[in-house]
Structure formats: C-alpha cells, structure tokens
Amino acid sequence: MQRIKQGDDVIVTAGKDKGRRGTVVKVLADDRVVVQNINMVKKHQKPNPTAGQPGGIIDKEMPIHVSNVMLFNPAKGKGDRVGFKILEDGRKVRYFKSDNEVVDA
C-alpha cells in the first residue's frame, strides 16, 4: 500500500512550488508523482501531422519526488504525515498521524 495515491490532495513541502496544493494525477514506479499544475516546465515540441499534434512551446507537468509532498489534511488545513493501521474488520487503511483520522473511508 502506498502513502500517496492517485487522486489524493497533496501540498508541496520543498522546491520551487513549496506551499502549493494540487491533486496527484499519476504515481510513477520510481517514487515520483505528477501533481496537477505543479513543477510546470516549457517543452519545445515538434509538430506531428499524423498524430494531429501542433508544434510550438507547450507547458508540461514534470514528476516530483514523493518525499517532497505531504497528504493534505482538511481538518487541520495543512499537510500531515500518513501511517497505516488495520481496522477491526481486517482492512488496512491510511490515517493521519496528528489526529488518528482515517483517510480512506
């Protein structure tokens, strides 16, 4: 089980986008995540007529390491550490360490 999953609301803790919030679009295998509108770069793209892609300069989201993001806790209004626990019915769930609130309902 992963601490950060696709669709989670996260806050960036380090780098040029420190303090900004976004939603995880994709989780990559090498401990990196792509967050919506975070770590944007300009990419010079050649046109590809067969795929219908125009050429020019496009904005693209690049991956950020998972250690540089924290799961956003809406009750506290800031980023929070995540732990795992097993409930009485045998399910393994994520929870916020500060207030023991379960993330996955």
Side-chain angles (χ1 to χ4, degrees):
M1 186 173 233
Q2 302 168 334
R3 294 184 193 281
I4 306 290
K5 293 183 176 181
Q6 183 175 345
D8 283 344
D9 197 19
V10 295
I11 188 163
V12 180
T13 59
K16 65 180 183 179
D17 293 319
K18 181 178 180 177
R20 293 183 60 197
R21 280 178 50 191
T23 305
V24 175
V25 176
K26 187 186 231 181
V27 178
L28 303 175
D30 58 345
D31 290 339
R32 293 181 173 272
V33 291
V34 177
V35 184
Q36 188 176 11
N37 295 326
I38 301 292
N39 200 18
M40 298 294 285
V41 296
K42 299 227 183 263
K43 177 172 171 42
H44 296 258
Q45 181 172 319
K46 290 177 77 173
N48 188 352
T50 58
Q53 287 182 338
I57 301 171
I58 61 165
D59 286 328
K60 182 179 179 182
E61 299 154 341
M62 292 299 287
I64 186 170
H65 198 267
V66 74
S67 67
N68 295 329
V69 296
M70 290 181 89
L71 199 58
F72 184 75
N73 188 347
K76 297 280 185 177
K78 56 185 178 180
D80 204 349
R81 292 184 299 155
V82 178
F84 299 101
K85 66 181 172 183
I86 298 176
L87 299 177
E88 295 82 23
D89 59 358
R91 289 188 301 142
K92 184 177 180 182
V93 294
R94 299 180 296 167
Y95 74 99
F96 290 118
K97 293 251 185 161
S98 66
D99 56 1
N100 287 332
E101 191 70 29
V102 175
V103 178
D104 314 310

